């Protein structure tokens, strides 16, 4: 199937945005290299960045459903441009902390809005396939970002922020080419009632028993998967691997995910909804668990390929599972709850894995995540018995005219 032009504008925009946006590791490197922060302040900067990311899922999803996903993404880009440029002139530690919080928020605020936008752009039956292709662009941008950032940091650190500003501006300009959001006109309301409505919207997904169970399981699985950013590199280094060998192993994940993501919806097409979720959790558990027996680069590559299979199967099927249970006009809000669960795990899973490995060794850590992951797989399979598992009947697909209606 050929996706509409609007989808490819979004694809190009978010891939470009991922290339330019500043990752927390390079933000810290820039600040330390310029002697703008010391060792005591660095954890605070990283923590504030993380808080911004966690909050962005909930706020970004609710905002996208209130004012429209296109408006949300386009409106965030001038703020991103201003934030990037402010780094060039800011040396005050309090201001840098505030900028770190805003940077974390901006780095992820578009993700639930993008999922909601895809849901509007393509027919419901093609959502998982379109979302898989969207993630291909996302992963390409994420793979190029550290390479480009590392070069810019060494060549001219200020270019980090100029590239970020340019990429953000181009992202916004590309999405201006999308059809305008068709948003229901709301009655005038006070600021208090608007805040109350936003909070009510954010809380809505957490009133469903099946979604709460899904989000808890998602959080636990993310705690396992996100060892890739913390314990996994440290575990490979403990086996005597060089930074180059660690990078090679992680590059296998990036390449394999780009190649395999478009195939995942075909694999899951004839499965019941809970099956690919359980299968992806089992593969992630087995992949990370296999690290307990890995002592060489080839062995770690095999383990990485196993958990990558789980990752590429999880991404589109989980987004589809949530979208199927979102009421009309609430897709971005419901997607935001999933991003919240996933991002919250970054603040828990990574540090917990490092602590566990430090106390009992990496073998114990990998066998522990294997047991946890298999339990999560069983939990996903058990979702079928919860009230609300069966999604409500799908609304009639909008006509082509409805899809591109300009408000």
């Amino acid at each position: 199937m050929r996706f509409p032009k609007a989808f490819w504008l979004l694809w190009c925009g978010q891939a470009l945005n991922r290339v330019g946006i500043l990752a927390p590791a390079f933000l810290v490197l820039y600040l330390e290299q310029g002697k703008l922060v010391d060792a005591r302040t660095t954890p605070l900067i990283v923590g504030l960045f993380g808080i911004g990311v966690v909050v962005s899922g909930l706020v970004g999803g609710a905002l996208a459903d209130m004012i429209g996903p296109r408006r949300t993404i386009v409106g965030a880009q001038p703020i991103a441009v201003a934030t990037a440029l402010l780094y060039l002139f800011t040396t005050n530690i309090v201001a840098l902390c505030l900028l770190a919080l805003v940077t974390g928020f901006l780095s992820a605020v578009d993700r639930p809005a993008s999922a909601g936008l895809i849901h509007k752009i393509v027919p419901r039956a093609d959502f998982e396939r379109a979302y898989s292709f969207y993630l291909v662009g996302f992963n390409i941008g994420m793979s190029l970002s550290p390479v480009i950032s590392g070069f810019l940091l060494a060549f001219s650190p200020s270019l980090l922020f100029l590239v970020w500003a340019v990429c953000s501006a181009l992202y916004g300009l590309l999405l201006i080419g999308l059809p305008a959001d068709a948003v229901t006109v709301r009655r005038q309301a006070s600021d208090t009632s608007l805040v109350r409505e936003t909070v009510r919207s954010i809380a809505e997904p957490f009133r469903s028993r099946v979604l709460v169970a899904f989000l808890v399981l998602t959080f636990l699985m993310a705690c396992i998967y996100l060892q890739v950013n913390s314990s996994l590199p440290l575990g490979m280094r403990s086996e005597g691997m060089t930074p180059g060998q660690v990078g090679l192993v992680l590059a296998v994940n990036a390449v394999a995910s780009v190649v395999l993501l478009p195939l995942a919806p075909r694999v899951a097409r004839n499965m019941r909804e809970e099956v690919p979720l359980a299968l992806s959790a089992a593969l992630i558990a087995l992949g990370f668990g296999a690290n307990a027996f890995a002592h060489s680069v080839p062995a770690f590559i095999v383990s990485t390929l196993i958990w990558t299979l789980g990752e590429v199967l999880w991404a589109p099927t989980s987004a589809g599972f949530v979208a199927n249970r979102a009421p009309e006009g609430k897709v971005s809000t419901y997607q935001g709850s999933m991003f919240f669960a996933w991002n919250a795990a970054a603040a828990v899973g990574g540090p917990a894995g490092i602590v566990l490995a430090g106390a009992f060794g990496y073998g114990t850590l990998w066998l522990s995540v294997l047991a946890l992951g298999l339990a999560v797989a069983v939990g996903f399979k058990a979702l079928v018995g919860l009230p609300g598992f069966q999604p409500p009947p799908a609304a009639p697909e909008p006509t082509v005219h409805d899809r591109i209606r300009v408000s």
Side-chain angles (χ1 to χ4, degrees):
M1 174 202 160
R2 295 178 60 187
F3 297 122
K5 176 184 175 182
F7 172 82
W8 292 113
L9 286 172
L10 174 63
W11 191 97
C12 292
Q14 59 87 28
L16 186 63
N17 186 53
R18 289 300 126 185
V19 169
I21 203 163
L22 201 60
F26 287 94
L27 173 58
V28 169
L29 288 173
Y30 166 80
L31 295 174
E32 289 187 346
Q33 181 174 302
K35 300 187 180 346
L36 298 172
V37 298
D38 56 30
R40 293 173 299 174
T41 312
T42 299
L44 177 60
I45 294 289
V46 174
L48 289 169
F49 188 101
I51 291 172
V53 172
V54 172
V55 172
S56 68
L58 295 175
V59 176
L63 191 62
D65 285 332
M66 290 179 66
I67 68 173
R70 174 181 171 274
R71 286 189 180 96
T72 299
I73 298 173
V74 172
Q77 301 321 304
I79 303 174
V81 171
T83 301
L85 296 178
L86 280 172
Y87 273 107
L88 297 174
F89 307 101
T90 303
T91 57
N92 179 270
I93 187 60
V94 175
L96 287 170
C97 287
L98 179 59
L99 285 176
L101 179 66
V102 175
T103 302
F105 182 86
L106 293 171
S107 71
V109 70
D110 65 319
R111 297 201 64 190
S114 294
L117 196 52
I118 294 170
H119 195 267
K120 292 176 181 293
I121 290 171
V122 304
R124 173 64 195 91
D126 298 313
F127 175 77
E128 284 85 354
R129 184 163 180 259
Y131 195 75
S132 293
F133 275 94
Y134 165 84
L135 289 175
V136 168
F138 182 91
N139 287 343
I140 290 173
M142 290 290 288
S143 299
L144 291 175
S145 178
V147 177
I148 295 173
S149 295
F151 171 77
L152 294 177
L153 187 63
F155 178 72
S156 177
S158 61
L159 288 178
L160 280 170
F161 304 100
L162 294 176
V163 169
W164 176 17
V166 170
C167 288
S168 296
L170 292 175
Y171 187 20
L173 289 173
L174 281 171
L175 263 65
I176 288 176
L178 268 64
D181 296 308
V183 180
T184 303
V185 177
R186 301 176 183 272
R187 295 178 180 176
Q188 287 188 333
S190 65
D191 291 341
T192 302
S193 61
L194 185 61
V195 170
R196 189 182 301 117
E197 181 182 356
T198 303
V199 172
R200 188 183 301 116
S201 179
I202 290 173
E204 185 174 325
F206 298 93
R207 297 192 182 102
S208 165
R209 287 178 60 184
V210 71
L211 277 176
V212 168
F214 170 85
L215 294 173
V216 170
L217 292 169
T218 296
F219 170 81
L220 293 174
M221 194 178 78
C223 284
I224 299 171
Y225 174 83
L226 292 173
Q227 300 304 314
V228 69
N229 296 328
S230 54
S231 298
L232 181 56
L234 295 174
M236 287 190 281
R237 288 299 301 273
S238 73
E239 294 290 339
M241 295 186 185
T242 66
Q245 290 173 320
V246 173
L248 174 63
V249 172
L250 297 181
V252 169
N253 164 252
V255 174
S257 63
V258 168
V259 172
L260 296 174
L261 265 168
L263 304 178
R266 298 182 186 179
V267 173
R269 182 180 301 162
N270 297 320
M271 297 180 182
R272 296 197 314 179
E273 277 190 297
E274 77 279 8
V275 174
L277 297 176
L279 182 58
S280 61
L283 287 169
I284 289 174
L286 291 170
F288 280 95
N291 290 329
F293 310 99
H295 307 289
S296 64
V297 171
F300 275 108
I301 287 177
V302 171
S303 300
T304 297
L305 287 172
I306 295 172
W307 58 257
T308 298
L309 289 173
E311 174 193 2
V312 299
L313 184 59
W314 161 262
T317 53
S318 60
F321 182 89
V322 174
N324 284 343
R325 284 153 185 83
E328 185 67 25
K330 293 289 186 179
V331 172
S332 295
T333 298
Y334 275 59
Q335 294 292 328
S337 68
M338 184 175 69
F339 286 117
F340 168 76
W342 188 271
N343 292 330
V348 177
I354 293 173
V355 170
L356 181 60
F360 302 102
Y362 284 97
T364 300
L365 168 64
W366 302 132
L367 293 177
S368 298
V369 299
L370 171 63
L372 176 61
L374 293 178
V376 170
V378 173
F380 278 125
K381 194 69 175 67
L383 287 178
V384 68
L386 291 178
F389 176 81
Q390 293 300 327
E397 289 286 352
T399 63
V400 173
H401 174 72
D402 291 333
R403 287 187 183 280
I404 63 174
R405 180 162 55 97
V406 176
S407 61

